[in-house]
Amino acid sequence: MTDASKAVSTRLSVTRLKSLQKQGNLRLKNSPPRTWVLQSPHSGDNTQLRALAAALGWPCESKRLSYRGHEGLLRVLSLPTLAGVDLAASSPLSAPWPDLVICSGRGAEAVAFWLKQQNPHLRIVFVGTPWSRLSRFDLVITTPQYRLPQAPNVLHNLLPLHDVTPEKLAAEAARWQPRLGTLPRPFSAVLVGGASGPYLFTPAAARRLGREASAVARAAGGSLLVTTSARTGEAAADALQSAIDVPCFFHRWDADAPDNPFHAVLGLADRIIVTADSISMMSEAVSTGKPVQLFDIEQGPYAMRADAGRQRIGWRGRSANASIFRLLINHAPPRFSRDLRVVHQQLVSSGLAQWLGDPPSKTQPLPLEDGLARAVARIRGLFGL
């Protein structure tokens, strides 16, 4: 080959290399993986996805997906397709293709598999429990309530990922302190969720939470810092607020609110009461290292801890939907349901939390694992980094 031919061949190779990189089918050596986050319809899922992407620190785009009504059928079929996505209402899905997709929520699976067809080198990381076979994912990051099996591509963390850091809590606490300075200390935070699977958070349960949280604050001579969440119904929020009879800051969650005091509440709190329906808020609460008490949103035979010593949950719920969910926990494959009791038992047995109303635990809390660091290490390993 002449020198001129070699030069032409080199230029063609470079051109081809750049074309492949632009399409997302090739990642240049030493360049960070191009990352896409496929947003979930659920705020708790998105908190995990954002935290993971931020911890990786790689170039990242967040893709909002809007689904069509027949998406559920495509999910069951586990097809690699965009047919279930309303493309006009979603973020653009076009080249350059990502090297890494991080997703949660089962609707995103078909999209991730379709992206794999565009870039065969793509790595897919799923957070939670997928509908499809585990072997179709490069990594699944999960928590105990999903009861997934041990597998080389499954990372089992005790609690969900989150974006709570000491630095963020300190900054938010300092920013909100002037607005809460007239309330007496100590502060007891109350993090409020809502109905979850077999458990209902009724107005009666909300009033019970208001009374019991008020008793905690009154005994300490302090105040309550209360924040609801996306799953808290208006009737329950009204009942909770009406039952509180101590000094209180009460924030109602609003997707359009310009400022959310959630991290400030965690940072300012001396102890935290969290409804036990929300594994995300339980994770954020225990990450602070402060005393955490779990509030059972149900009572009697429906209670979250009524079956703590039994493998099966009582099948009858307060509603038809709750009863169906309980039957699924007992008899269906794990991907059809989740069993929050597993997480409650591990938190209490490890000394990281206790049930509201129980005597103070004498158990020395076990060190809390850094699930985010573990997840980041596993993802970096997918790329040999």
Side-chain angles (χ1 to χ4, degrees):
M1 182 181 290
T2 64
D3 290 344
S5 297
K6 290 180 178 178
V8 171
S9 177
T10 299
R11 285 197 297 271
L12 288 174
S13 297
V14 171
T15 301
R16 176 62 174 161
L17 189 68
K18 290 182 177 179
S19 175
L20 288 172
Q21 186 191 23
K22 183 177 181 180
Q23 296 171 25
N25 295 330
L26 182 68
R27 183 172 64 88
L28 293 181
K29 186 178 180 180
N30 298 325
S31 65
R34 183 186 294 113
T35 303
W36 283 9
V37 168
L38 305 183
Q39 292 183 19
S40 165
H42 306 292
S43 59
D45 292 343
N46 289 328
T47 295
Q48 296 193 69
L49 301 180
R50 287 193 300 268
L52 186 52
L56 284 166
W58 294 341
C60 180
E61 294 181 50
S62 184
K63 301 293 185 178
R64 181 179 54 82
L65 301 176
S66 178
Y67 296 104
R68 300 181 183 276
H70 61 272
E71 178 275 324
L73 174 61
L74 297 173
R75 176 200 308 171
V76 172
L77 298 175
S78 295
L79 299 175
T81 177
L82 298 183
V85 179
D86 183 349
L87 295 176
S90 301
S91 299
L93 301 173
S94 57
W97 305 114
D99 307 300
L100 169 67
V101 158
I102 304 172
C103 56
S104 186
R106 294 165 179 176
E109 294 180 38
V111 179
F113 298 149
W114 180 85
L115 290 170
K116 183 82 169 182
Q117 290 185 330
Q118 316 313 308
N119 177 14
H121 302 286
L122 178 70
R123 301 290 186 265
I124 301 175
V125 174
F126 191 93
V127 179
T129 179
W131 187 277
S132 305
R133 298 189 312 274
L134 294 177
S135 59
R136 299 187 70 179
F137 302 89
D138 295 280
L139 180 64
V140 174
I141 303 169
T142 192
T143 39
Q145 78 273 23
Y146 296 122
R147 301 163 291 165
L148 295 187
Q150 298 292 329
N153 65 329
V154 178
L155 173 63
H156 292 268
N157 282 338
L158 172 61
L159 292 167
L161 308 176
H162 57 78
D163 59 356
V164 172
T165 64
E167 295 77 17
K168 175 179 283 190
L169 296 189
E172 287 297 287
R175 190 168 68 86
W176 277 81
Q177 174 63 44
R179 298 181 235 188
L180 304 175
T182 60
L183 293 173
R185 301 294 296 260
F187 290 147
S188 297
V190 182
L191 313 181
V192 189
S196 178
Y199 308 111
L200 300 182
F201 186 53
T202 62
R207 283 189 289 272
R208 178 164 54 88
L209 172 59
R211 292 192 299 269
E212 294 185 16
S214 294
V216 170
R218 187 180 303 107
S223 310
L224 295 179
L225 306 180
V226 182
T227 178
T228 66
S229 64
R231 290 188 298 105
T232 310
E234 283 298 314
D238 290 341
L240 171 62
Q241 189 167 15
S242 67
I244 294 173
D245 59 4
V246 294
C248 174
F249 166 78
F250 197 101
H251 171 76
R252 293 190 183 227
W253 183 89
D254 182 350
D256 299 321
D259 204 359
N260 188 331
F262 181 79
H263 290 99
V265 167
L266 288 180
L268 289 167
D270 297 285
R271 67 173 53 249
I272 302 170
I273 299 169
V274 55
T275 57
D277 58 273
S278 174
I279 187 173
S280 294
M281 291 196 297
M282 287 188 284
S283 177
E284 291 158 333
V286 301
S287 73
T288 66
K290 299 173 182 179
V292 174
Q293 295 174 296
L294 309 179
F295 176 77
D296 192 335
I297 66 172
E298 290 275 22
Q299 284 183 302
Y302 310 107
M304 292 175 160
R305 50 179 170 165
D307 297 305
R310 298 164 53 189
Q311 184 178 2
R312 292 183 181 274
I313 189 173
W315 73 269
R316 189 186 299 275
R318 291 183 186 274
S319 68
N321 183 67
S323 295
I324 291 172
F325 204 104
R326 287 168 179 262
L327 288 172
L328 291 175
I329 290 177
N330 287 336
H331 302 292
R335 72 173 183 266
F336 287 99
S337 65
R338 63 187 185 279
D339 191 350
L340 291 174
R341 299 174 306 157
V342 182
V343 179
H344 301 152
Q345 292 169 25
Q346 292 192 24
L347 286 177
V348 173
S349 64
S350 64
L352 294 169
Q354 67 178 90
W355 290 102
L356 181 62
D358 281 359
S361 174
K362 297 181 180 179
T363 303
Q364 184 67 25
L366 297 177
L368 184 62
E369 68 181 16
D370 191 339
L372 187 58
R374 298 176 73 213
V376 167
R378 288 290 297 270
I379 294 175
R380 293 179 64 87
L382 297 177
F383 294 90
L385 300 175

